[in-house]
């Protein structure tokens, strides 16, 4: 494997500088020979560089990886803290190398452990933390939208459609409004379940069959007893949609104090909805 060497170190006594620098570089050269690596170039930071962001050799290394990426396959270094003391910066650096097909190779790492395993684990933890923070921010934004009466996304209940309330360069706020054609189907479903056609209430299966035969589909899909029951149980038709009722991840019901009630146009009167619930399981 073609590799480049990188090291940085600080020396208190300038008189020892040349000797210590030579010893460290020779150690790295010997290690590369033992592991079958061919040294393409050497980048050594000398002086008190470990407390400074001024790292010309390191910048030259990054430029070489970008311009000579096909010739360089690995970067050999003494230990992780020789590259960065900040593990996040180290992880980001490795990501950049991998884009050019270059690996990080630590002399201090156990031969059975890939250095990238530790870095990937670290990045994974960081990404997980960032993801949780982003989810919290998104939920807070959606809750605020719901409190203002706007639709927060997801599947639009059958019988409704969304209309744009206002639009900005970065966002669009929508409201739920009655879908004229679908709303008539919703009313028919409730009517069939309560009265039927000849006074005998329809079961959910009979309602589904009746609508499918008539070609009155559920947004291009056939009705089923389950989808009919879903309509008959949906309290949105009473004029109120509840946001944040369940945890999106687990599906568990949240405390009622966390629910956000959003007013929407009603489609079904309360007495009709109540009457339909008596036989909704049939």
């Amino acid at each position: 494997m073609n590799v480049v060497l990188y090291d940085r170190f600080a020396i208190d006594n300038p008189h020892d500088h040349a000797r210590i620098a030579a010893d460290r570089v020779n150690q790295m050269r010997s290690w590369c020979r033992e592991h079958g690596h061919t040294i393409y170039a050497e980048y050594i930071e000398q002086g008190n560089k470990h407390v400074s962001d001024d790292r010309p050799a390191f910048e030259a290394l990054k430029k070489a990886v970008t311009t000579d990426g096909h010739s360089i396959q690995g970067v050999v270094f003494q230990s992780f803290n020789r590259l960065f003391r900040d593990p996040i910066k180290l992880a980001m650096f490795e990501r950049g190398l991998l884009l050019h097909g270059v690996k990080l190779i630590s002399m201090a790492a156990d031969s059975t452990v890939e250095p990238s395993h530790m870095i990937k684990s670290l990045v994974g933890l960081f990404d997980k933390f960032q993801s949780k923070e982003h989810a919290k921010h998104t939920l807070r934004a959606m809750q605020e939208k719901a409190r203002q009466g706007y639709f927060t996304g997801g599947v639009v209940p059958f019988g409704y459609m969304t209309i744009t309330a206002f639009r900005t360069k970065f966002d669009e706020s929508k409201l739920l409004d009655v879908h004229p054609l679908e709303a008539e189907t919703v009313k028919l479903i409730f009517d069939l379940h309560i009265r039927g056609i000849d006074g005998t209430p329809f079961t959910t299966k009979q309602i589904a069959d009746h609508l499918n035969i008539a070609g009155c589909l559920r947004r291009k899909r056939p009705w089923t007893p389950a989808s009919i029951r879903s309509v008959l149980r949906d309290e949105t038709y009473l004029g109120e949609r509840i946001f944040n009722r369940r945890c999106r991840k687990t599906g568990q019901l949240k405390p009622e104090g966390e629910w956000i009630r959003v007013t929407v146009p009603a489609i079904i009167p309360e007495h009709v909805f109540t009457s339909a619930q008596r036989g909704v399981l049939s």
Side-chain angles (χ1 to χ4, degrees), residues 15 28 71 74 89 93 136 138 155 186 191 210 244 258 260:
H15 299 293
M28 298 180 75
S71 302
K89 289 183 178 179
F93 176 60
K136 289 179 184 177
T138 300
V155 178
V186 171
D191 190 57
H210 178 80
N244 204 43
E258 297 183 23
I260 299 174

Side-chain angles (χ1 to χ4, degrees), residues 23 51 161 170 188 206 272:
D23 287 345
V51 294
M161 61 184 180
F170 304 102
L188 177 60
Q206 288 174 322
V272 174

Side-chain angles (χ1 to χ4, degrees), residues 5-62:
L5 307 185
Y6 178 79
D7 194 22
R8 62 172 177 157
F9 53 90
I11 299 174
D12 294 329
N13 188 347
H15 299 293
D16 294 332
H17 188 284
R19 177 180 58 80
I20 294 177
D23 287 345
R24 291 175 67 93
V25 172
N26 285 334
Q27 287 176 16
M28 298 180 75
R29 290 171 180 168
S30 297
W31 188 91
C32 287
R33 284 195 298 269
E34 292 172 4
H35 289 78
H37 300 316
T38 301
I39 299 174
Y40 181 81
E42 298 175 355
Y43 299 91
I44 310 299
E45 302 283 6
Q46 299 181 359
N48 195 27
K49 300 294 184 182
H50 70 295
V51 294
S52 172
D53 289 331
D54 180 21
R55 299 167 63 184
F58 184 70
E59 294 302 319
L61 182 154
K62 290 196 294 184

Side-chain angles (χ1 to χ4, degrees), residues 111-130:
S111 59
T112 61
V113 179
E114 285 285 342
S116 60
H117 287 177
M118 185 197 75
I119 296 172
K120 288 174 182 175
S121 297
L122 180 63
V123 173
L125 289 173
F126 180 74
D127 287 346
K128 187 176 181 180
F129 170 77
Q130 288 290 82

